[in-house]
Amino acid sequence: MTLTAPTTTGPRAVSRPPALRRAWRTASPYAYLAPFFTLFAAFGLFPLLYTAFVSLYRVELQTPGEMEWRGLGNYTALLGDAYFWTALRNTFTIGVLSTVPQLVMALGLAHLLNYRLRGRTFFRTAVLLPYATSVAAATLVFAQLFGRDFGLVNYALGLAGVDPVDWQTGTVASQVAVSTIVIWRWTGYNALIYLAGMQSIPRELYEAAEMDGASRWRQFVHVTLPGLRPTIVFTVVVSTIGATQLFGEPLLFEGSVSGGISHQYQTLGLYLYEQGWGFFHLGRAAAIAWVMFLLILLVVGVNALVVRRRSPKEAGR
């Protein structure tokens, strides 16, 4: 006996989706994205545009409702302010002093963590602990370490026969101290980013290089570094943006918005805070914020040029 499935002779239940269902299918992606764009417009786009609007006026913190049109006057006033150029120079030097050693140390640390070490999970977790520490706690501890009279750093230098250094008064010394805090907090974070990039490089490339007689150093130079090029560019850009917005470390290092007696380590972030909430010039503070924003856009643009630049071999194809 042969069993056959029953056949349906009637019309199909639904020939096409209803109009309401089709409309929902069309609008549902936008509905899912709407909360993000709503929050971005309220807390990101609107403050950015309003800051640009305020930067064109003379606005004082005591009387925010009284606005006097200045046009580009706030920006031209910045160009004539020596403290602005000092803050810009300090931001650049502290950024270089903190970013370059930080990324070099992170790259070497990631290279060590990439090996099959005993307890490597513990070490990978431990390198992230400084990043989890609050800026205030880390800066206050380092301020004690870099104390002139009773600091542990000067004590170690004294054992080596070096005279005590006034880390909060000297220009180079204070910038090195602030950069050390940044290096300590962010090296482990960047190391884990590099480690993730290293683990995405195919092992066949290392095996082929080893069969060709390449040493560990040559494998690192000719296999690891080219494979990490996009990751390195990303960390350079993110670290540069962070250096441009540096605020907590120099503020809490001595507790002064002026960045030292002679503004020797005042960054653009501290300069903005001093103008807006120290001298109550909200219009000028908004102009400083937009200058910082334009600097970040410049960094992102340079990053785009570096990423899109092809190697000579690729250009010749």
Side-chain angles (χ1 to χ4, degrees):
M1 181 177 63
T2 303
L3 299 177
T4 58
T7 60
T8 303
T9 59
R12 297 178 60 184
V14 178
S15 59
R16 62 176 182 176
L20 183 60
R21 183 177 299 177
R22 290 203 313 270
W24 169 248
R25 289 180 178 177
T26 303
S28 59
Y30 302 98
Y32 292 135
L33 294 175
F36 165 77
F37 285 107
T38 302
L39 293 176
F40 173 76
F43 300 101
L45 184 60
F46 173 74
L48 181 66
L49 297 179
Y50 187 72
T51 302
F53 172 76
V54 172
S55 68
L56 303 177
Y57 289 85
R58 182 195 302 275
V59 186
E60 301 299 324
L61 184 61
Q62 303 94 326
T63 56
E66 300 178 6
M67 305 177 68
E68 178 185 347
W69 172 258
R70 291 202 64 190
L72 299 178
N74 288 325
Y75 295 93
T76 56
L78 290 179
L79 298 179
D81 189 354
Y83 291 124
F84 167 75
W85 294 107
T86 300
L88 181 62
R89 183 178 63 251
N90 293 339
T91 302
F92 175 78
T93 54
I94 293 176
V96 172
L97 290 174
S98 61
T99 300
V100 175
Q102 172 193 151
L103 297 183
V104 172
M105 293 171 59
L107 191 60
L109 186 60
H111 186 62
L112 294 176
L113 294 176
N114 197 31
Y115 287 108
R116 294 184 177 179
L117 301 174
R118 182 176 300 177
R120 57 181 178 178
T121 303
F122 168 77
F123 291 110
R124 292 176 181 178
T125 306
V127 297
L128 200 59
L129 292 180
Y131 171 72
T133 307
S134 67
V135 179
T139 305
L140 292 177
V141 170
F142 272 89
Q144 298 299 319
L145 293 177
F146 284 103
R148 183 186 62 180
D149 299 324
F150 305 102
L152 186 61
V153 176
N154 278 341
Y155 175 77
L157 293 177
L159 295 179
V162 181
D163 295 332
V165 179
D166 193 349
W167 297 100
Q168 294 183 343
T169 304
T171 301
V172 177
S174 59
Q175 292 182 4
V176 169
V178 174
S179 301
T180 304
I181 307 172
V182 180
I183 293 172
W184 181 81
R185 289 197 69 241
W186 291 96
T187 298
Y189 175 83
N190 288 306
L192 291 185
I193 295 179
Y194 287 148
L195 178 61
M198 290 179 182
Q199 292 180 345
S200 65
I201 300 176
R203 299 299 305 175
E204 292 79 5
L205 298 178
Y206 292 99
E207 295 174 358
E210 187 175 359
M211 292 179 61
D212 291 338
S215 61
R216 288 285 181 89
W217 173 250
R218 288 187 174 272
Q219 293 179 26
F220 178 77
V221 173
H222 297 287
V223 178
T224 304
L225 289 183
L228 285 179
R229 179 183 171 185
T231 307
I232 293 175
V233 172
F234 169 77
T235 55
V236 168
V237 172
V238 173
S239 300
T240 305
I241 293 175
T244 305
Q245 300 175 334
L246 193 62
F247 177 77
E249 289 85 350
L251 174 64
L252 298 174
F253 182 65
E254 192 184 7
S256 172
V257 296
S258 61
I261 299 177
S262 58
H263 299 257
Q264 66 268 18
Y265 60 91
Q266 185 183 49
T267 60
L268 286 176
L270 281 182
Y271 181 68
L272 184 154
Y273 186 86
E274 182 184 44
Q275 290 295 321
W277 282 264
F279 301 146
F280 311 126
H281 303 322
L282 294 184
R284 182 172 294 189
I288 299 171
W290 257 86
V291 169
M292 296 172 62
F293 176 69
L294 295 177
L295 289 176
I296 292 175
L297 288 183
L298 179 62
V299 171
V300 174
V302 172
N303 169 49
L305 293 177
V306 172
V307 171
R308 293 179 181 178
R309 183 173 58 87
R310 298 180 299 177
S311 63
K313 293 183 179 180
E314 294 174 341
R317 292 179 182 177

